[in-house]
Amino acid sequence: MIPQGQSCSQVLREFFVREIGPAFHFDAFMRDYVAQNAGRTLAEAVAHWHATRGQAAQPLEIGAQFEFNRFLRDWHARHPDGTRAQALAAWRECRARPR
């Protein structure tokens, strides 16, 4: 059973890696499931992992507080051969503009 207040700990991660395989990681779907489903079983959590893989493969909206991450994702989509140094220079240029 998932207890109230369960965190996405290394112990829990080890369990999921054993049950699901080395591809397991705590993504947004699994973090939310663990946080919001106290009383459910770990078997249900494993089923949830498998059921959400299609959604997890889709790009998710990056929260507004992660402006830098959103900028880098968008910049690399427009410049697939661009380097990290070029992306950072573009970020600094963007941030220097008046808002």
Side-chain angles (χ1 to χ4, degrees), residues 36-58:
Q36 297 174 10
N37 286 283
R40 300 258 183 176
T41 67
L42 291 177
E44 289 173 303
V46 169
H48 175 76
W49 165 265
H50 292 296
T52 58
R53 293 308 85 205
Q55 287 177 280
Q58 302 299 316

Side-chain angles (χ1 to χ4, degrees), residues 41-88:
T41 67
L42 291 177
E44 289 173 303
V46 169
H48 175 76
W49 165 265
H50 292 296
T52 58
R53 293 308 85 205
Q55 287 177 280
Q58 302 299 316
L60 298 176
E61 179 65 29
I62 299 174
Q65 72 272 31
F66 302 111
E67 180 182 6
F68 176 70
N69 297 20
R70 284 185 300 151
F71 177 88
L72 287 182
R73 182 172 72 179
D74 294 344
W75 189 90
H76 280 294
R78 291 189 314 275
H79 307 91
D81 296 325
T83 66
R84 178 169 171 74
Q86 291 169 324
L88 293 175

